[in-house]
Amino acid sequence: MKKRLLSLVFTGLFCFVFTHTFAQSKKKPNIIMIISDDTGWGDLGVYGGGLGRGMPTPNLDKMAKEGMQFWSFYGQPSCTPGRAAMLTGRIPNRSGMTTVAFQGQGGGLPAAEWTLASVLKKANYKTYFSGKWHLGEADYAMPNAQGFDKMENVVLYHLNAYTYCFPSWNPDMSPEMNEFFQKSTTGVLEGLAGQKARETTKVTEDNIAELDMMMTDNNLKQLEAYAKEGDPFFMCINFAKNHQPNLPSKQFAGKSPAKSKYGDCVMEMDYNVGRIMDKIRELGIAEDTFVIYTVDNGAWQDVHPDSGYTPFRGTKGTDREAGSRVPAIAWWPGQIEAGSDSHDIVGGLDLMATFASLAGVQLPTKDREGVAMVFDSYDMSNVLFKKGKPLRDKWFYFTETELSPGAVRIGKWKAVFNTRGDNGAIAGSDMPGQQLGWRGDETYIATVPAIYDLWQDPQERYDLFMNSWTEKTWTLVVFNQATAELMKTYVDYPPRPLQSEVYTGPMTIEHFRNIEKVKKLIKDNDIKVPSLSADPK
C-alpha cells in the first residue's frame, strides 16, 4: 500500500512539474487584432449577411468556420470611445475619451493610460499599429507614444472628416474655411517609438479610396519581417472602412452584387482580411498566432443607405443594442475549437485582460504616472478555450456624457434608462428623422427603466417591467446594485477630464448664476482650489 501511495505521489509530482514546465516554456502567441469601422452586425455571411446582402465575405466566413464566432460581443456606441475602450481596457469615461474627435481639437488619449501595446511591451512583445487611430492629435496621444514600436499608414480621423476640404464635396465652403481645414487636417502618418510622427502624404480625393489597400500591402511586409525575427509580436490593424462615405478601391468599385459603394467596401475589407490570413498561413506561423476580428461600434443607420445592417433596435450613438453589439471572430488553430460559437457577454473592453493573460503578464494597478487605477476588462480565456465559466456577466452602456450607464445588461436581462434613437431611420425614407437616430434627444424614463429579455426579445420591443402578465419589477434591485457598485469606483478612481469637444447641454441663466455664486463664495472665503485647466495628459 505504501509503495502504491508513493508511486501515485511521484507520478502526480512528475505530471505537475511537466505540465508547469511546459506551460512556462510554451511560446507566447503572436497577437493580431483586426478592426473594421462601422461594419454592421448583419453584414458578414456568418451573421446572415454576405451574399444574401449582395456583399459576399468568404474570408471572414472561413475565419469563423476555423475559429469562434461571438453573438453577444460589445463595442461602444461610437468610434473614439470604441477604440479607446479596446486599447485601454477601461470604459471611455475613465480615460476621458467619450466622444468623437475632430481635426483641429488637439489632445487625445492621455499619456498616463496603459494600452494593449504598452502592457504587452512588459512581456517583450514587438508592437505595431496601422490604419485608423481616432484617439487624438497631440504628440503624447500618437500610437508611437502609447507603446507601439512602429506606426504606419496611420490616419487620425473618420473618413468623412477628410472630405471636408475636398472642393468637389463642399464647393459651398468659403475659401477661408477651406484653408482652415486644409491646415488642421493631418494626413497619413508614420513613425517609430521615441520619435515624432511624420506625415508621409496628405489624404486626397485621388488616394482616399486606396488607403486600406496600401495599408494592407505594408501589413504583409511587416508580417514577413516579424516571422523572420521569431519574437512574439502584436499587430493592431485598423481599416478606415466601412465608415461613411464609403469609397471603394478601384479594384472593387462596382464589383459587389449589391452594386452599392457600401457593398463594394465590405468586399474590399473582407479581401484584405483574407490577404492577412493567407500570409499568416503561408509564413507557417498559424499555430503560434491568435487573431481576433471585430468592430469599434454598431452600424450607423443615420447615414443609410451608406451603412451597415443591424437587426437590433436603435443605431450607432445610442444605448440600444444596435449601438454597441458588434460582430467578432477569434482564430487560433489548435487552441480555439473550429466552428465554435459563444453567446457569453464579452466585448472589446476584455481584450486587455485577455491579451495580458496570453502574454503571461499581470495588469498594472497604477497608471503610467504612478496613480492608482482600475481596469474594466475581464479575461476571456475561459470562453475562448471552453475551460470554465465566463468571468463577465454584465455590460454597461454609455453615450457621450453619461457617467452612470444609460442601460445595463445582466445575463439575459437589460434595463434601459436612456431611450435616445429608439427607431432609427423612418421606413420608406432616405432621410432619418433627426429625433430618431444618433442626433436624437437623450430622453430618460421616469423613476424606473424599461426591462427587456434579450433572449426572447433581442429587438427590445416589449417592456416587461410592469407588464400585467409577466412583470419583472424584481430586476430593478439587481440593476440598481450593479450600477451602485460601478459608481463607487469613480470615488476611488476619478474619471479623467474630457479629451475632446462635445455639446453637454444648454447653459441656462440659472446655471450661470449658480456658478457665479460659487465663484464669489470661494473668493470671499479665500478658498484655494486646484486649477481646472491642468494638462489633460
Side-chain angles (χ1 to χ4, degrees):
M1 181 66 73
K2 288 181 179 178
K3 287 181 178 178
R4 289 182 64 190
L5 284 170
L6 284 170
S7 176
L8 286 170
V9 169
F10 279 119
T11 301
L13 282 171
F14 174 80
C15 290
F16 171 79
V17 171
F18 176 81
T19 304
H20 183 71
T21 302
F22 176 76
Q24 294 298 315
S25 62
K26 190 174 182 181
K27 184 179 178 182
K28 298 169 187 174
N30 307 314
I31 299 173
I32 300 177
M33 173 178 166
I34 303 174
I35 311 296
S36 63
D37 203 4
D38 283 13
T39 309
W41 193 89
D43 287 345
L44 311 185
V46 290
Y47 284 92
L51 188 59
R53 293 203 59 240
M55 49 191 80
T57 56
N59 296 294
L60 283 161
D61 296 350
K62 180 180 180 180
M63 184 180 175
K65 290 173 184 175
E66 295 177 351
M68 175 176 284
Q69 180 177 1
F70 295 92
W71 297 91
S72 289
F73 195 99
Y74 290 92
Q76 300 293 321
S78 60
C79 304
T80 298
R83 292 166 190 278
M86 281 190 278
L87 276 171
T88 66
R90 283 154 53 85
I91 53 180
N93 53 41
R94 295 200 195 279
S95 62
M97 304 298 291
T98 61
T99 187
V100 174
F102 287 80
Q103 60 262 60
Q105 292 183 335
L109 188 64
E113 288 289 327
W114 288 98
T115 66
L116 295 172
S118 53
V119 168
L120 289 175
K121 289 301 295 180
K122 293 164 68 71
N124 298 316
Y125 272 67
K126 294 185 175 179
T127 54
Y128 173 89
F129 185 93
S130 67
K132 181 181 177 182
W133 178 242
H134 213 178
L135 295 175
E137 299 173 305
D139 289 342
Y140 65 78
M142 290 293 106
N144 62 338
Q146 293 282 351
F148 290 96
D149 299 327
K150 183 178 181 180
M151 56 183 276
E152 194 170 29
N153 296 96
V154 172
V155 290
L156 298 184
Y157 324 107
H158 42 297
L159 271 185
N160 59 325
Y162 292 99
T163 67
Y164 297 163
C165 54
F166 292 172
S168 63
W169 285 73
N170 295 294
D172 52 349
M173 183 183 287
S174 69
E176 294 78 15
M177 188 57 67
N178 185 273
E179 183 181 2
F180 164 78
F181 279 112
Q182 291 282 0
K183 287 182 178 180
S184 62
T185 304
T186 304
V188 181
L189 297 172
E190 66 178 28
L192 302 176
Q195 299 178 2
K196 185 177 174 62
R198 58 188 176 277
E199 187 178 75
T200 59
T201 183
K202 289 290 185 183
V203 177
T204 67
E205 292 182 85
D206 293 328
N207 67 18
I208 189 170
E210 305 301 326
L211 291 176
D212 285 352
M213 296 294 285
M214 293 187 293
M215 177 191 76
T216 306
D217 289 343
N218 284 326
N219 294 161
L220 303 184
K221 294 175 184 175
Q222 189 62 52
L223 268 170
E224 291 174 349
Y226 279 151
K228 288 179 181 177
E229 293 164 4
D231 298 318
F233 62 83
F234 168 52
M235 295 181 70
C236 186
I237 299 170
N238 300 261
F239 296 113
K241 298 163 187 174
N242 302 96
H243 196 288
Q244 173 270 347
N246 280 280
L247 302 169
S249 163
K250 59 185 178 183
Q251 185 174 335
F252 285 90
K255 297 298 175 62
S256 68
K259 301 303 177 189
S260 71
K261 290 184 177 181
Y262 185 85
D264 296 345
C265 286
V266 168
M267 288 182 59
E268 177 189 336
M269 184 269 292
D270 178 79
Y271 169 74
N272 283 324
V273 171
R275 293 170 69 196
I276 293 166
M277 299 302 291
D278 287 345
K279 179 60 70 172
I280 293 169
R281 298 183 185 97
E282 175 193 317
L283 294 170
I285 58 173
E287 293 185 357
D288 297 322
T289 304
F290 171 79
V291 183
I292 186 161
Y293 162 82
T294 190
V295 183
D296 51 357
N297 51 254
W300 192 7
Q301 295 293 289
D302 286 340
V303 294
H304 177 80
D306 194 23
S307 66
Y309 166 72
T310 176
F312 303 112
R313 187 171 183 173
T315 179
K316 174 183 178 179
T318 74
D319 287 324
R320 292 296 189 179
E321 287 298 284
S324 297
R325 202 187 292 203
V326 295
I329 301 167
W331 181 91
W332 188 1
Q335 301 293 327
I336 294 175
E337 180 184 339
S340 55
D341 295 277
S342 170
H343 291 272
D344 298 308
I345 301 171
V346 288
L349 281 170
D350 299 326
L351 299 180
M352 174 64 83
T354 306
F355 290 2
S357 175
L358 295 177
V361 295
Q362 295 291 321
L363 287 180
T365 57
K366 295 182 178 180
D367 69 17
R368 294 170 74 187
E369 294 177 352
V371 178
M373 63 167 292
V374 64
F375 288 97
D376 302 289
S377 187
Y378 291 83
D379 184 3
M380 297 193 311
S381 296
N382 287 357
V383 173
L384 290 169
F385 310 122
K386 297 188 174 182
K387 292 185 177 180
K389 294 182 178 180
L391 301 182
R392 178 189 288 283
D393 67 346
K394 63 177 69 74
W395 192 264
F396 296 109
Y397 306 71
F398 303 90
T399 56
E400 299 90 343
T401 60
E402 290 175 333
L403 188 61
S404 62
V408 182
R409 178 179 178 179
I410 301 177
K412 69 174 185 174
W413 302 105
K414 182 176 181 182
V416 177
F417 299 91
N418 179 6
T419 59
R420 174 210 253 177
D422 262 3
N423 298 311
I426 297 173
S429 169
D430 286 339
M431 178 57 193
Q434 184 171 335
Q435 76 281 12
L436 299 179
W438 188 1
R439 297 172 294 165
D441 297 333
E442 290 193 307
T443 305
Y444 291 87
I445 297 174
T447 311
V448 296
I451 301 294
Y452 303 94
D453 179 346
L454 291 181
W455 286 2
Q456 297 189 60
D457 178 27
Q459 291 184 314
E460 303 170 74
R461 297 181 65 187
Y462 304 103
D463 178 7
L464 301 177
F465 187 78
M466 288 185 176
N467 181 295
S468 59
W469 178 63
T470 179
E471 60 89 12
K472 299 297 179 184
T473 53
W474 61 267
T475 59
L476 182 60
V477 178
V478 180
F479 288 116
N480 283 350
Q481 181 180 356
T483 301
E485 290 173 357
L486 171 68
M487 298 305 289
K488 286 178 185 177
T489 68
Y490 296 137
V491 177
D492 295 327
Y493 312 102
R496 301 190 192 280
L498 189 65
Q499 300 298 310
S500 56
E501 298 172 12
V502 65
Y503 177 65
T504 56
M507 171 61 83
T508 64
I509 294 175
E510 182 182 7
H511 190 189
F512 175 78
R513 286 174 177 165
N514 286 336
I515 291 174
E516 291 301 303
K517 287 178 183 178
V518 171
K519 287 165 64 177
K520 185 175 186 304
L521 182 66
I522 290 172
K523 182 179 179 181
D524 291 347
N525 290 274
D526 196 28
I527 299 172
K528 305 296 183 184
V529 295
S531 171
L532 297 179
S533 59
D535 189 338
K537 291 191 290 183

